[in-house]
């Protein structure tokens, strides 16, 4: 047991350092004691060496607890049934999006962090999923619902809550504050102490918490402890970049924000070793990379730039922007890696494309996605203007055609997008609606009046079962082919998240890169035709070692003549490797 019998002097000293930086006027030794007391008697977990934190066998599923529903059945039980019957061990981890009671934003306006939304199930269903898969949960850390007890107590002037909410004065300099939304930043609120102006980075139902008060930090450490007890082993720090506010600044990525992440990392490393932290910072790439810290912040960061650049490449047939980004991406530090994804419960974020795609290229992307039924969300800029924040569209429908219009290659184009993603350095994450080739849910948008509902469809379990068993169904075709490729990936050492990666300079229609296993025994040349026409690939343009036998793991095709010229059909992907792979 991690109790008071354990020598906690090293972590105590480290905590005091973090807390002293955050709260220089507080008694940091007392605060450090309080942190240790919160995690006292937490069931001991066996530490994992850095090289065992992840492997090529790791893939993650992103899903809501009720993405699949079955009448009056408990949705989390239905999700678990889907995982056991169809996914099995092809995926190793599951990210169940916010499962607490909420008031808006499909879970990201949390009313009570300590409860499971009864419409989804209870803690027992959460723990049962955690018994079969590594479970990832959201720590919605920046804000809380305006219907929460904390906010109600704030209005009444009683604790806990009276000092938990971030306020601003009307005269504060907020001109540089970075916003993900176009709504007003401040919410006028009547309280027992009179009219106050509450900080709302996202919506007026999502009121920001004031981490300048150490009590707020302690509340979230208690939440982490609770989640650990129910099997959560991966924490997604939602919107963490906005956490600490100082008027007169951008209020993004402030040093105190990074220090809070470091403190959480210190706590989980000591009391729950093997727990992973993922920071959700949907921002330009150079800002996102800072959350690796000095290997003392996030274990994993999202590869946010991948989605818009990959979609752009597949819609235009131009690979230059994707290649340029790939060549400038640093290998993740030891003990860290990337989370690669192409779709999520949110839209395709466009901020990570800033500085990578020109305004004209972004506009072309927006117009094409709109033609395929998608929508666009904007954000407010410091000068009072608006910019595209994200594309709201189901990825399967975003790839319905190209900038030229719709065509017959939707399935092949979509499979190419997922195959690129699962081969890149890092851990691949599949949104459930990508795995199932779910189209745009326009009825959901009409019902909720929210653009993001287009990609948050709720499948009927019986209908999904029928679709997945029907070999003529597009859902069957995509799902089973993706699972087959995932299973191939799990066998191939070069797809370890930290294996060597090098961008290949093939001619324009191809996007290609080389992966090599850490023991150098196996190589994979990942080659993708990003166009709607047949392209010639000269095997002599690849560095195929003459003494090895090479084959495409995806199709099983052998290449006995290393000078052969292949006719690569539209959107075909090849994993050309020198080691046998069972199929």
């Amino acid at each position: 047991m991690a109790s008071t019998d354990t020598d906690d002097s090293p972590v105590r000293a480290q905590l005091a350092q973090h807390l002293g930086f955050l709260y220089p006027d507080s008694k940091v030794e007392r605060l450090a004691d309080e942190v240790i007391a919160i995690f006292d008697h937490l069931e001991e977990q066996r530490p994992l060496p850095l090289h065992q934190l992840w492997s090529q066998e790791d893939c993650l599923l992103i899903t809501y607890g009720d993405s699949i529903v079955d009448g009056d059945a408990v949705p989390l039980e239905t999700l678990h049934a889907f995982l056991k019957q169809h996914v099995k061990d092809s995926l190793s981890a599951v990210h169940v999006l916010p499962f607490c009671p909420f008031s808006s934003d499909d879970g990201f306006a949390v009313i009570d962090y300590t409860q499971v939304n009864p419409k989804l199930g209870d803690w027992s269903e959460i723990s049962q999923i955690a018994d079969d898969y590594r479970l990832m949960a959201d720590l919605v850390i920046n804000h809380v619902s305006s219907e929460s007890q904390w906010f109600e107590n704030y209005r009444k002037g009683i604790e806990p809550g009276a000092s938990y909410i971030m306020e601003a004065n009307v005269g504060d300099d907020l001109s540089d504050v970075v916003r993900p939304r176009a709504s007003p930043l401040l919410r006028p609120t009547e309280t027992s102490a009179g009219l106050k102006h509450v900080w709302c980075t996202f919506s007026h139902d999502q009121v920001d918490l004031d981490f300048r008060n150490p009590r707020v930090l302690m509340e979230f450490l208690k939440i982490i402890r609770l989640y650990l007890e129910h099997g959560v082993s991966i924490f997604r720090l939602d919107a963490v970049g906005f956490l600490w506010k100082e008027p007169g600044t951008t209020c993004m990525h402030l040093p105190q924000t990074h220090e809070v992440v470091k403190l959480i990392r210190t706590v989980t490393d000591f009391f729950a070793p093997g727990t992973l932290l993922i920071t959700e910072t949907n921002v330009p790439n150079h800002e996102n990379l800072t959350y690796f810290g000095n290997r003392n912040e996030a274990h994993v960061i999202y590869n946010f730039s991948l989605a818009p650049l990959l979609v752009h490449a597949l819609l235009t047939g131009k690979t230059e922007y994707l290649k340029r980004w790939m060549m400038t991406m640093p290998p993740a530090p030891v003990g860290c890696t990337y989370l690669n994804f192409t779709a999520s419960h949110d839209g395709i974020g466009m901020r990570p494309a800033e500085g990578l795609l020109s305004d004209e290229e972004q506009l072309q992307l927006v117009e094409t996605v709109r033609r395929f039924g998608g929508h666009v969300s904007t954000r407010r800029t410091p000068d009072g203007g608006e910019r595209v924040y994200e594309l709201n569209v189901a990825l399967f429908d975003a790839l319905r055609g190209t900038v030229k219009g719709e065509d017959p290659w939707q399935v092949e184009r979509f499979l190419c997008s997922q195959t690129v993603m699962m081969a890149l350095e890092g851990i691949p994450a599949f949104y459930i609606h990508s795995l199932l080739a779910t189209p745009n849910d326009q009825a959901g948008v009409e019902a909720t009046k929210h653009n993001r509902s287009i990609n948050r469809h709720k499948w009927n379990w019986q209908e999904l079962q029928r679709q997945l068993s029907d070999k003529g169904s597009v859902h069957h075709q995509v799902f089973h082919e993706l699972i087959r490729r995932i299973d191939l990936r799990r066998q191939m050492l070069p797809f370890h998240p930290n294996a060597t990666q090098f961008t290949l300079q093939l001619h324009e229609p191809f996007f290609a890169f080389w992966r090599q296993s850490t023991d150098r025994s196996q190589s994979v040349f990942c080659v993708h035709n990003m166009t709607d026409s047949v392209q010639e690939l000269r095997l002599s343009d690849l560095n195929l070692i003459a003494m090895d036998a090479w084959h495409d793991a995806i199709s099983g095709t052998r290449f006995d003549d290393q000078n052969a010229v292949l006719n690569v059909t539209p959107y075909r992907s090849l994993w050309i490797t020198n080691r046998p792979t069972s199929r």
Side-chain angles (χ1 to χ4, degrees):
M1 305 293 287
S3 68
T4 52
D5 297 331
T6 305
D7 179 13
D8 56 25
S9 55
V11 73
R12 187 184 301 273
Q14 189 63 45
L15 287 171
Q17 183 176 340
H18 296 313
L19 293 163
F21 182 86
L22 293 169
Y23 311 112
D25 297 328
S26 300
K27 295 181 179 180
V28 295
E29 293 79 9
R30 185 176 298 173
L31 289 175
D33 288 342
E34 186 173 350
V35 174
I36 290 171
I38 288 171
F39 290 89
D40 195 18
H41 296 290
L42 180 68
E43 183 177 349
E44 186 175 3
Q45 299 186 28
R46 185 176 180 180
L48 287 174
L50 287 179
H51 69 277
Q52 292 183 12
L53 288 176
W54 42 70
S55 75
Q56 71 278 1
E57 296 190 20
D58 285 305
C59 291
L60 182 135
L61 177 72
I62 305 167
T63 180
Y64 280 103
D66 59 355
S67 290
I68 307 172
V69 293
D70 184 16
D72 294 330
V74 176
L76 284 170
E77 289 184 351
T78 304
L79 172 63
H80 200 186
F82 165 74
L83 293 169
K84 290 189 293 184
Q85 290 181 34
H86 294 285
V87 173
K88 301 177 183 177
D89 62 353
S90 295
L91 303 179
S92 61
V94 179
H95 175 197
V96 180
L97 289 154
F99 47 71
C100 298
F102 68 95
S103 55
S104 65
D105 200 14
D106 281 354
F108 287 92
V110 178
I111 293 175
D112 186 348
Y113 294 88
T114 67
Q115 301 296 321
V116 175
N117 184 349
K119 294 180 179 179
L120 298 178
D122 57 29
W123 281 115
S124 65
E125 280 85 34
I126 293 292
S127 298
Q128 286 168 14
I129 294 174
D131 288 340
D132 292 335
Y133 299 89
R134 296 195 73 175
L135 179 61
M136 176 167 155
D138 289 273
L139 196 66
V140 184
I141 196 169
N142 176 72
H143 48 263
V144 69
S145 168
S146 65
E147 296 182 19
S148 67
Q149 191 61 54
W150 287 350
F151 191 64
E152 182 63 23
N153 288 353
Y154 164 76
R155 297 179 71 167
K156 293 178 179 178
I158 60 177
E159 298 290 0
S163 59
Y164 286 13
I165 305 302
M166 184 70 191
E167 298 175 350
N169 297 314
V170 175
D172 287 343
D173 179 9
L174 306 179
S175 58
D176 291 331
V177 173
V178 173
R179 298 289 311 292
R181 300 289 185 271
S183 58
L185 173 62
L186 302 183
R187 164 186 165 156
T189 302
E190 289 290 347
T191 74
S192 60
L195 181 67
K196 301 292 183 181
H197 290 84
V198 172
W199 196 295
C200 297
T201 297
F202 289 84
S203 78
H204 282 192
D205 185 44
Q206 295 163 293
V207 293
D208 286 29
L209 294 157
D210 189 354
F211 274 84
R212 296 175 302 178
N213 178 359
R215 306 316 316 157
V216 175
L217 175 62
M218 296 303 158
E219 293 281 9
F220 276 91
L221 294 178
K222 292 174 186 175
I223 294 164
I224 290 173
R225 162 71 190 254
L226 175 66
Y227 286 15
L228 288 168
E229 289 175 341
H230 288 288
V232 174
S233 58
I234 308 174
F235 287 87
R236 176 184 184 268
L237 304 185
D238 176 65
V240 69
F242 302 96
L243 182 140
W244 201 280
K245 287 88 175 173
E246 293 287 350
T249 73
T250 62
C251 299
M252 281 288 286
H253 319 309
L254 296 187
Q256 295 91 336
T257 293
H258 284 279
E259 199 69 29
V260 170
V261 178
K262 291 174 186 176
L263 184 147
I264 295 173
R265 173 69 180 267
T266 294
V267 166
T268 53
D269 277 356
F270 184 80
F271 291 102
T275 301
L276 301 183
L277 298 184
I278 299 181
T279 47
E280 189 268 329
T281 49
N282 191 359
V283 293
N285 198 46
H286 66 279
E287 298 175 32
N288 189 31
L289 289 167
T290 64
Y291 283 87
F292 280 141
N294 188 22
R295 297 176 11 193
N296 60 350
E297 295 188 41
H299 296 86
V300 186
I301 64 172
Y302 283 87
N303 228 340
F304 278 108
S305 297
L306 172 62
L309 293 178
L310 182 56
V311 169
H312 174 268
L314 287 165
L315 292 182
T316 65
K318 300 176 182 178
T319 61
E320 58 183 298
Y321 298 103
L322 188 60
K323 285 180 182 176
R324 190 181 306 158
W325 163 76
M326 179 109 154
M327 291 168 63
T328 60
M329 281 293 289
V334 174
C336 301
T337 194
Y338 299 104
L339 191 73
N340 296 320
F341 74 106
T342 54
S344 72
H345 60 288
D346 291 337
I348 298 171
M350 292 303 291
R351 282 213 71 202
E354 292 176 10
L356 301 173
L357 292 177
S358 68
D359 289 347
E360 291 75 17
E361 296 281 357
Q362 292 189 50
L363 180 60
Q364 184 183 43
L365 196 56
V366 167
E367 292 175 343
T368 303
V369 167
R370 277 181 167 151
R371 288 205 305 272
F372 297 155
H375 303 280
V376 175
S377 297
T378 61
R379 66 180 179 89
R380 182 70 56 83
T381 57
D383 62 4
E386 291 188 13
R387 285 186 66 92
V388 173
Y389 180 67
E390 67 184 15
L391 307 177
N392 301 113
V393 65
L395 184 64
F396 186 63
D397 271 356
L399 299 176
R400 195 185 294 174
T402 69
V403 293
K404 296 178 291 186
E406 295 188 30
D407 61 25
W409 299 105
Q410 182 179 15
V411 169
E412 291 82 0
R413 188 181 293 110
F414 180 77
L415 288 172
C416 180
S417 75
Q418 301 308 284
T419 307
V420 170
M421 183 263 290
M422 72 174 80
L424 289 170
E425 176 190 347
I427 300 170
F430 294 85
Y431 186 40
I432 190 167
H433 293 306
S434 293
L435 202 63
L436 299 174
T438 308
N440 290 333
D441 187 350
Q442 299 291 2
V445 176
E446 293 174 10
T448 65
K449 308 303 179 186
H450 294 299
N451 287 346
R452 285 179 168 178
S453 296
I454 199 169
N455 197 27
R456 298 178 179 180
H457 180 70
K458 288 181 172 57
W459 273 98
N460 174 275
W461 176 226
Q462 304 304 325
E463 175 61 20
L464 180 60
Q465 292 275 59
R466 285 192 291 271
Q467 293 292 340
L468 292 181
S469 62
D470 178 4
K471 292 184 179 180
S473 160
V474 69
H475 309 290
H476 172 98
Q477 294 168 19
V478 169
F479 177 80
H480 287 281
E481 181 59 20
L482 284 178
I483 291 294
R484 186 183 76 86
R485 295 187 189 191
I486 291 168
D487 288 340
L488 286 172
R489 179 191 188 278
R490 295 175 64 232
Q491 302 173 47
M492 301 175 71
L493 294 176
F495 291 140
H496 186 286
N498 298 118
T500 298
Q501 176 172 286
F502 184 80
T503 309
L504 300 177
Q505 298 302 315
L506 300 184
H507 59 94
E508 173 63 29
F510 290 109
F511 177 58
F513 48 93
W514 172 67
R515 302 295 308 276
Q516 186 182 52
S517 60
T518 54
D519 65 1
R520 298 188 178 185
S521 66
Q522 184 178 10
S523 290
V524 179
F525 291 89
C526 306
V527 182
H528 314 86
N529 179 359
M530 307 293 278
T531 71
D532 56 3
S533 59
V534 176
Q535 302 292 336
E536 288 189 350
L537 173 67
R538 299 179 183 277
L539 290 181
S540 58
D541 289 341
L542 305 177
N543 296 326
L544 304 183
I545 299 172
M547 66 184 67
D548 290 346
W550 295 87
H551 72 283
D552 172 25
I554 294 177
S555 67
T557 303
R558 288 173 53 91
F559 302 120
D560 296 322
D561 179 4
Q562 295 183 12
N563 292 311
V565 177
L566 308 182
N567 288 319
V568 183
T569 54
Y571 305 107
R572 180 183 172 188
S573 299
L574 301 98
W575 287 346
I576 301 174
T577 184
N578 59 337
R579 290 289 180 270
T581 303
S582 59
R583 300 178 61 244

